[in-house]
């Protein structure tokens, strides 16, 4: 007969030894909320205003993509995005992983195309504001990013020659291509056609923008004389969580600006997924971006050398070991699981990770232990739910366009 082995933590033993009064005080401290200040300070109001969607600037230009804001290029890219013929077996489109109904993610730990990929699918909403793409920043433009899944054997499993052949064989695509790029696909190399397909896909994805949330409505209601206790847009818990977000929890260090991201790379000691080695992150990603033939300085880019400063002066090296791109937190509660390999199932797990801030397996953990009480962790999570909002895009862009061609490559 086996004996039951009980393990009790040292803090628990100390509390038991201290007696019931100490236990009650400890539990009260962990679970009772503190009173909220009557007003935000001027400095806090300015910080909240900086996070509001009303301060989101116009889309930044993409010097490497001359058709980035061409409406016909966006229409072309819309068709390509939902076209399953862009894969080796005719069954995988870009929308398989970037599903409009899930904020252009797939709700899986890691993406699944023709096979299982190693990385979690990042949302495409507001993605055009970032200067770097993928978790490790291995692409320096949205159009270059759009190309990699097409040739990845675990995603679309196609190649540039097959993609070019599809464009040349489809009369509608031939016409769209010529209207956008000025020459027919028969007059260009397969590499050039492939690059231009990425540019059309990018023009479509630039249409995907975030809409206002309860948080934005709350900020719009505030002014220097407003008594926040009288404001009913956010609950007490949500406002307490917002105070934690910009203060004690230090979230704003990385998740700042109207998209709640600084679009930079940070090592926060996220463990690797089961059975995988720790990711080198940005340290490896930058080298890949610099070697990419489709980067800003490459032959297929429409940019001048002077317009490629992000690539030319990017920071890499050992300081970037294990660093991953900080994602936007808009609609964050809709895009679980989290982190670069979907290591955390929900926001509770994420907050607990940052609260503990343990040592990194590779590189240096930028985060420090937060010491959040149990109630504070719940308040912070409550606030993150106020960042949910609609996609501020004409609904027609969120559904497949009317099909104009058959799909001879599809597996029946």
């Amino acid at each position: 007969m086996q004996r039951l082995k009980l393990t009790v933590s040292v803090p628990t033993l100390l509390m038991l030894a201290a007696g019931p009064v100490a236990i009650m005080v400890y539990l009260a401290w962990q679970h009772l909320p503190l009173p909220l200040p009557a007003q935000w300070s001027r400095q806090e109001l300015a910080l909240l205003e900086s996070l509001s969607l009303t301060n989101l600037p116009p889309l930044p230009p993409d010097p490497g993509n001359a058709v980035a804001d061409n409406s016909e290029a966006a229409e072309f890219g819309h068709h390509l995005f939902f076209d399953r013929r862009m894969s080796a077996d005719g069954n995988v489109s870009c929308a398989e992983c970037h599903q409009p109904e899930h904020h252009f993610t797939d709700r899986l730990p890691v993406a699944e195309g023709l096979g299982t990929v190693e990385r979690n699918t990042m949302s495409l909403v507001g993605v055009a504001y970032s200067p770097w793409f993928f978790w490790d920043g291995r692409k320096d433009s949205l159009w270059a990013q759009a190309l990699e899944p097409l040739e990845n054997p675990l995603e679309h499993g196609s190649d540039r020659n097959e993609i070019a052949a599809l464009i040349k064989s489809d009369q509608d695509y031939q016409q769209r291509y010529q209207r956008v790029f000025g020459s027919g696909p028969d007059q260009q190399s397969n590499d050039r056609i492939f690059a231009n397909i990425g540019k059309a896909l990018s023009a479509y994805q630039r249409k995907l923008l975030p809409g206002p949330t309860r948080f934005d409505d709350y900020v719009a209601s505030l002014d220097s004389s407003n008594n926040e206790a009288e404001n009913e847009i956010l609950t007490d818990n949500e406002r307490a969580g917002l105070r934690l977000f910009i203060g004690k929890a230090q979230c704003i260090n990385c998740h700042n600006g109207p998209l709640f991201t600084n679009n930079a790379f940070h090592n926060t000691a996220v463990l690797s997924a089961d059975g995988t080695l720790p990711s080198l992150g940005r340290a490896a990603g930058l080298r890949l971006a610099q070697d990419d033939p489709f980067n800003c300085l490459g032959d297929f880019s429409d940019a001048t050398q002077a317009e490629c400063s992000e690539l030319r002066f990017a920071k890499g090296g050992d300081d970037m070991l294990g660093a991953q791109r900080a994602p936007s937190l808009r609609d964050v509660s809709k895009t679980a699981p989290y982190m670069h390999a979907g290591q955390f199932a929900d926001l509770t797990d994420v907050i607990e990770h940052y609260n503990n801030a343990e040592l990194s397996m590779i590189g240096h953990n930028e985060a420090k232990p937060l010491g959040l009480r149990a109630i504070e962790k719940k308040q912070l999570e409550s606030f993150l739910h106020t960042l949910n909002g609609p996609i501020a895009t004409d609904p027609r862009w969120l559904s497949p366009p009317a099909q104009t061609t058959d799909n001879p490559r599809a597996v029946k």
Side-chain angles (χ1 to χ4, degrees):
M1 180 175 179
Q2 289 186 335
R3 292 184 178 181
L4 180 63
K5 184 178 180 182
L6 297 177
T7 57
V8 183
S9 67
V10 172
T12 302
L13 287 172
L14 292 174
M15 281 198 300
L16 291 172
V21 174
I23 293 174
M24 291 179 65
V25 170
Y26 173 79
L27 292 176
W29 171 244
Q30 282 293 319
H31 297 284
L32 292 179
L34 297 176
L36 286 170
Q39 291 183 320
W40 297 99
S41 70
R42 288 184 178 274
Q43 293 79 8
E44 289 170 334
L45 284 171
L47 195 52
L48 297 184
E49 182 66 23
S50 74
L51 298 172
S52 173
L53 198 60
T54 58
N55 282 313
L56 186 67
L59 277 172
D62 181 353
N65 183 2
V67 300
D69 297 306
N70 180 302
S71 60
E72 287 195 294
E75 292 281 1
F76 188 19
H78 184 204
H79 280 75
L80 294 168
F81 189 85
F82 288 93
D83 193 340
R84 296 173 184 269
R85 296 177 298 167
M86 300 280 281
S87 63
D89 68 355
N91 283 317
V92 179
S93 71
C94 302
E96 296 302 308
C97 292
H98 298 287
Q99 300 166 14
E101 64 270 26
H102 295 310
H103 210 68
F104 286 85
T105 66
D106 54 15
R107 304 302 299 263
L108 298 173
V110 292
E112 292 184 5
L114 296 183
T116 301
V117 189
E118 293 184 350
R119 293 290 174 260
N120 179 260
T121 300
M122 302 187 87
S123 174
L124 295 180
V125 180
V127 68
Y129 282 90
S130 178
W132 301 98
F133 302 86
F134 292 112
W135 285 97
D136 59 3
R138 62 183 180 273
K139 297 289 183 178
D140 69 339
S141 71
L142 187 53
W143 67 269
Q145 180 278 328
L147 297 175
E148 180 167 314
L150 299 177
E151 293 192 305
N152 186 329
L154 299 176
E155 296 186 70
H156 290 244
S158 189
D159 63 48
R160 63 197 64 186
N161 296 323
E162 292 181 342
I163 297 297
L166 170 63
I167 304 305
K168 293 175 182 178
S169 65
D170 185 301
Q171 185 174 4
D172 178 60
Y173 280 180
Q174 284 184 48
Q175 294 171 352
R176 291 179 184 276
Y177 187 98
Q178 182 151 3
R179 287 198 300 269
V180 172
F181 298 107
S183 300
D186 289 333
Q187 300 171 285
Q188 297 183 331
S189 70
N190 287 352
D191 284 350
R192 174 63 65 180
I193 295 169
F194 188 61
N196 285 343
I197 291 308
K199 294 176 183 181
L201 284 166
S202 170
Y204 163 66
Q205 292 171 48
R206 286 169 66 87
K207 299 283 187 184
L208 308 176
L209 301 172
T213 67
R214 281 199 298 127
F215 163 77
D216 299 300
D217 293 341
Y218 176 71
V219 173
S221 74
L222 296 174
D223 59 49
S224 59
S225 63
N226 184 275
N227 185 326
E228 69 156 340
E230 297 176 357
N231 195 295
E232 298 179 354
I233 296 175
L234 301 187
T235 67
D236 286 352
N237 268 346
E238 290 166 345
R239 285 185 284 123
L242 174 54
R243 285 187 175 277
L244 290 164
F245 186 92
I246 65 172
K248 180 179 179 181
Q250 302 178 33
C251 310
I252 200 166
N253 291 350
C254 302
H255 297 285
N256 48 50
L259 292 178
F260 285 79
T261 175
N262 60 6
N263 286 315
F265 299 86
H266 303 278
N267 184 338
T268 57
V270 178
L271 293 177
S272 57
D274 290 344
T276 65
L277 295 173
S279 169
L280 296 178
R282 180 59 167 166
L286 179 58
R287 291 195 294 270
L288 292 172
Q290 291 168 333
D291 293 338
D292 181 18
F294 298 105
N295 68 23
C296 186
L297 294 168
D299 292 340
F300 303 98
S301 170
D302 300 317
T304 65
Q305 185 178 35
E307 292 173 309
C308 299
S309 57
E310 285 283 354
L311 181 63
R312 292 166 57 208
F313 302 113
K315 178 183 178 182
D318 291 345
D319 287 345
M320 291 286 103
L321 274 173
Q324 308 288 346
R325 185 159 70 90
S328 170
L329 294 186
R330 287 192 173 269
D331 279 278
V332 65
S333 69
K334 297 180 181 179
T335 58
Y338 304 105
M339 305 303 178
H340 63 276
Q343 292 97 322
F344 299 140
D346 52 38
L347 289 173
T348 301
D349 291 343
V350 174
I351 293 171
E352 194 63 40
H353 168 77
Y354 285 110
N355 194 47
N356 295 333
E358 297 175 353
L359 293 176
S360 178
M361 292 182 64
I362 184 171
H364 172 69
N365 186 2
E366 297 177 28
K368 301 294 184 289
L370 301 174
L372 297 177
R373 298 181 297 127
I375 183 63
E376 290 175 325
K377 288 183 278 188
K378 291 181 180 179
Q379 290 170 333
L380 181 57
E381 183 170 347
S382 293
F383 164 67
L384 293 174
H385 284 267
T386 73
L387 300 179
N388 293 343
I391 298 176
T393 298
D394 188 319
R396 76 183 185 87
W397 296 111
L398 307 182
S399 300
Q403 296 300 309
T404 57
T405 61
D406 294 325
N407 189 349
R409 290 170 66 181
V411 174
K412 303 297 183 182

